[in-house]
């Protein structure tokens, strides 16, 4: 989730990655309007870019290079609402193949207060980024710090193993699932924690949370709720 205090940091990160990162995925610019727009962008005449590309961008499926030029120009001007619209179209056109765009698009969504798009983009990025890097660390922190994403947590454990941070993420997630009265996911999360963190102290902590869940009818309404807890522990 985006917080107001993060505005300057995220703004600098979007601009600091370099506008070229947003321009082209493959190949070179060929069409005349995009050539002119690229020249305007190189000359830092950002306001001219969308004017030059107006008819191209009005198409149902604008070409990817035009969208990336417009995205870069709008980020440079601080036009984050328009930039976010370009990201939406680019993600549709590219079928979410550009993971860097997904991550930066999450920052854009956060800047304009669209927490749903921010979380959706971060989640897709976290589930599909193939290798560990700083962006992935940040995505995990933002998703698992406050949200309910069991699939993201499973990916975290697969990549990072039984770290202290993973324990904190996992226990926090377990507590949120209990608070949400999600019995099935509570059992699954508890089982994953006990399989991953095998010290007696940590297993006992999970057992206590399961007992709390059973006592408070998270695992069912009748006496079978305690059986559900025991089956998870076994």
């Amino acid at each position: 989730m985006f917080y107001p205090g993060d505005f300057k940091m995220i703004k600098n990160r979007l601009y600091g990655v370099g506008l070229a990162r947003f321009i082209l995925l493959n190949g070179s610019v060929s069409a005349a309007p995009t050539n002119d727009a690229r020249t305007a962008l190189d000359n830092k005449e950002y306001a001219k870019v969308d004017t030059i590309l107006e008819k191209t961008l009005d198409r149902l499926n604008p070409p990817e290079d035009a969208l990336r030029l417009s995205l870069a120009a709008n980020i440079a001007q601080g036009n984050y609402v328009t930039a976010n619209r370009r990201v939406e179209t680019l993600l549709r056109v590219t079928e979410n193949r550009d993971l860097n765009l997904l991550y930066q698009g999450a920052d854009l969504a956060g800047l304009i207060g669209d927490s749903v798009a921010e979380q959706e983009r971060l989640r897709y990025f976290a589930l599909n980024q193939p290798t560990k890097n700083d962006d992935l660390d940040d995505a995990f922190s933002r998703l698992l710090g406050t949200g309910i994403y069991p699939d993201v947590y499973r990916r975290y454990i697969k990549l990072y193993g039984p770290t202290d941070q993973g324990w904190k993420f996992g226990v926090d997630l377990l507590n949120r699932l209990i608070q949400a009265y999600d019995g099935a996911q509570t059992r699954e999360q508890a089982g994953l924690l006990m399989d991953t963190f095998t010290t007696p102290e940590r297993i006992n902590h999970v057992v206590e949370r399961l007992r709390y869940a059973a006592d408070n009818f998270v695992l069912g309404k009748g006496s079978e709720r305690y059986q559900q807890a025991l089956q998870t522990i076994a």
Side-chain angles (χ1 to χ4, degrees):
M1 182 176 293
F2 168 74
Y3 297 98
D6 296 331
F7 182 89
K8 184 176 181 180
M9 176 189 72
I10 293 179
K11 180 179 178 182
N12 289 342
R13 187 163 67 200
L14 281 169
Y15 197 84
V17 295
L19 296 178
R21 180 172 181 173
F22 295 100
I23 297 174
L24 293 175
L25 185 62
N26 291 299
S28 58
V29 178
S30 55
T34 38
N35 275 332
D36 293 343
R38 176 60 180 269
T39 299
L41 188 68
D42 289 343
N43 292 334
K44 298 185 179 181
E45 297 174 320
Y46 304 124
K48 291 184 178 181
V49 173
D50 274 9
T51 301
I52 294 168
L53 295 174
E54 182 177 5
K55 292 183 178 179
T56 304
L57 294 171
D58 282 343
R59 298 178 191 173
L60 179 62
N61 292 303
E64 185 178 341
D65 52 2
L67 287 166
R68 288 179 180 273
L69 288 164
S70 176
L71 173 58
N74 279 285
I75 287 175
Q77 295 175 90
N79 297 333
Y80 299 124
V81 172
T82 301
N84 187 60
R85 288 202 299 268
R86 300 294 183 252
V87 168
E88 289 175 350
T89 306
L90 269 167
L91 292 176
R92 175 173 55 81
V93 169
T94 62
E95 298 179 334
N96 290 336
R97 290 189 304 271
D98 187 343
L99 295 177
N100 287 329
L101 179 66
L102 271 161
Y103 177 74
Q104 299 298 331
D107 281 350
L108 277 171
L111 282 173
I112 64 172
D114 188 346
S115 60
V116 173
E118 178 188 14
Q119 298 290 299
E120 286 178 349
R121 292 168 187 174
L122 284 174
R123 178 175 173 270
Y124 192 94
F125 175 79
L127 292 175
N128 291 279
Q129 169 62 26
T131 57
K132 293 186 284 187
N133 58 25
D134 289 344
D135 290 349
L136 185 58
D137 289 345
D138 177 66
F140 279 131
S141 294
R142 290 160 69 180
L143 290 167
L144 298 175
T146 57
I148 301 179
Y149 298 100
D151 54 347
V152 173
Y153 182 72
R154 289 191 294 272
R155 181 95 201 289
Y156 178 93
I157 290 299
K158 182 177 180 181
L159 289 175
Y160 292 83
T163 65
D164 287 342
Q165 182 62 66
W167 169 251
K168 183 179 186 306
F169 282 151
V171 171
D172 288 347
L173 175 57
L174 178 62
N175 290 334
R176 291 187 201 108
L177 290 167
I178 291 171
Q179 292 167 7
Y181 280 80
D182 190 332
Q185 289 287 356
T186 292
R187 290 186 60 195
E188 185 171 342
Q189 178 67 10
L192 176 59
L193 284 172
M194 288 187 289
D195 288 343
T196 305
F197 300 93
T198 57
T199 63
E201 179 184 2
R202 289 184 169 178
I203 288 179
N204 287 337
H205 181 85
V206 177
V207 170
E208 287 300 316
R209 298 311 296 155
L210 278 172
R211 180 178 178 179
Y212 174 88
D215 287 343
N216 288 273
F217 304 97
V218 175
L219 305 182
K221 295 182 179 180
S223 59
E224 77 280 355
R225 66 189 190 275
Y226 292 103
Q227 187 65 30
Q228 295 283 343
L230 288 172
Q231 288 174 357
T232 305
I233 297 167

